[in-house]
């Protein structure tokens, strides 16, 4: 959060942070990282011997698509097995994920991280869920502003002026908007 709070005040359009960039793209239905895309399977892993696996996080026997010396790689990546692997990311979301208000940004995260129980005891919840939710929920107001700026063909960096104006109205002893629990003057309001 500290990095985002500094970036949103000083560095939009100057410093590029992958998570922030891909989050903004998600507001337009574009998913540049497989971990936040609705489905996956776009990053197969090719081993030295020609074995092709569904994903570099799943180089395990159950996810072996085949060997490129025996079957053309195009056939392997277009196989029903690979399509099912990718669709399972969406189709096996817990009810907690399905009803989450930041689902369109997170999409349950990477399936490799889905190994805890959801709030209602369902298997397959992402163990990073709380942190992902905290981040996506926290950045929502300023990401919405940036998305609106981009839609109007204006630079996203315009958000920095809006954040500065909001900061100018904020009392020095008010809680910092980063939710650190510190006073604004002791956190992101330092001069």
């Amino acid at each position: 959060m500290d990095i985002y709070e500094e970036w949103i005040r000083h560095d939009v359009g100057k410093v590029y942070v992958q998570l922030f960039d891909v989050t903004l793209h998600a507001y337009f239905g574009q998913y540049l990282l497989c971990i936040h895309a609705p489905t996956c399977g776009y990053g197969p892993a090719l081993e030295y011997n020609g074995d092709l696996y569904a994903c570099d996080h799943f180089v395990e026997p159950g996810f072996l698509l085949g060997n490129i010396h025996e079957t053309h790689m195009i056939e392997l990546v277009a196989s029903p097995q690979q399509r099912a692997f990718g669709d399972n990311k969406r189709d096996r979301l817990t009810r907690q994920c399905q009803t989450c208000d930041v689902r369109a940004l997170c999409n349950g995260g990477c399936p490799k991280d889905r190994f805890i129980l959801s709030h209602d005891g369902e298997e397959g919840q992402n163990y990073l869920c709380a942190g992902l939710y905290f981040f996506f929920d926290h950045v929502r107001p300023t990401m919405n502003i940036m998305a609106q700026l981009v839609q109007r063909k204006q630079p996203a960096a315009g958000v920095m002026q809006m954040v500065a104006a909001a900061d100018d109205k904020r009392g020095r002893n008010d809680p910092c908007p980063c939710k650190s629990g510190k006073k604004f003057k002791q956190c992101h309001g330092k001069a």
Side-chain angles (χ1 to χ4, degrees), residues 25-40:
H25 275 86
Y27 277 75
F28 296 96
Q30 302 170 352
Y31 298 96
L32 305 178
L33 275 182
C34 61
I35 60 173
H36 299 304
T39 59
C40 60

Side-chain angles (χ1 to χ4, degrees), residues 14-190:
K14 299 174 196 169
V15 175
Y16 297 93
V17 179
Q18 184 181 46
L19 179 59
F20 307 159
D21 292 343
V22 299
T23 300
L24 183 57
H25 275 86
Y27 277 75
F28 296 96
Q30 302 170 352
Y31 298 96
L32 305 178
L33 275 182
C34 61
I35 60 173
H36 299 304
T39 59
C40 60
Y42 305 108
L46 181 64
E47 291 291 290
Y48 71 94
N49 65 352
D51 284 348
L52 188 68
Y53 291 86
C55 172
D56 65 340
H57 294 293
F58 292 92
V59 180
E60 302 168 16
F63 299 97
L64 176 65
L65 298 173
N67 189 290
I68 63 169
H69 299 297
E70 299 163 7
T71 308
H72 197 283
M73 187 175 190
I74 291 174
E75 288 181 51
L76 296 173
V77 296
S79 69
Q81 181 183 354
Q82 182 67 348
R83 265 193 303 275
F85 171 81
D87 290 346
N88 281 341
K89 179 180 184 194
R90 174 196 60 225
D91 298 343
R92 292 186 177 170
L93 287 174
T94 62
R95 281 184 294 285
Q96 180 181 333
C97 278
Q98 291 171 11
T99 59
C100 181
D101 60 343
V102 298
R103 177 182 172 193
L105 303 172
C106 173
N107 287 296
C110 182
K112 75 172 172 48
D113 298 325
R114 295 180 183 177
F115 54 81
I116 65 169
L117 298 178
S118 68
H119 293 307
D120 58 355
E122 190 177 359
E123 291 183 7
Q125 186 68 28
N126 190 314
Y127 86 103
L128 299 171
C129 178
L132 291 169
Y133 183 87
F134 185 75
F135 172 75
F136 289 124
D137 184 57
H138 178 76
V139 304
R140 203 178 337 199
T142 48
M143 285 288 174
N144 276 321
I145 292 168
M146 287 188 286
Q148 291 169 11
L149 288 168
V150 170
Q151 285 176 325
R152 293 192 305 249
K153 307 226 184 294
Q154 297 174 350
V159 72
M160 292 188 296
Q161 291 174 312
M162 295 175 193
V163 170
D167 284 350
D168 287 344
K169 293 176 185 173
R170 196 177 320 280
R172 292 174 31 89
N173 291 319
D174 286 349
C176 190
C178 75
K179 301 176 186 165
S180 66
K182 296 179 185 177
K183 294 179 182 180
F184 183 61
K185 68 182 179 186
Q186 296 169 333
C187 200
H188 292 100
K190 291 179 185 175

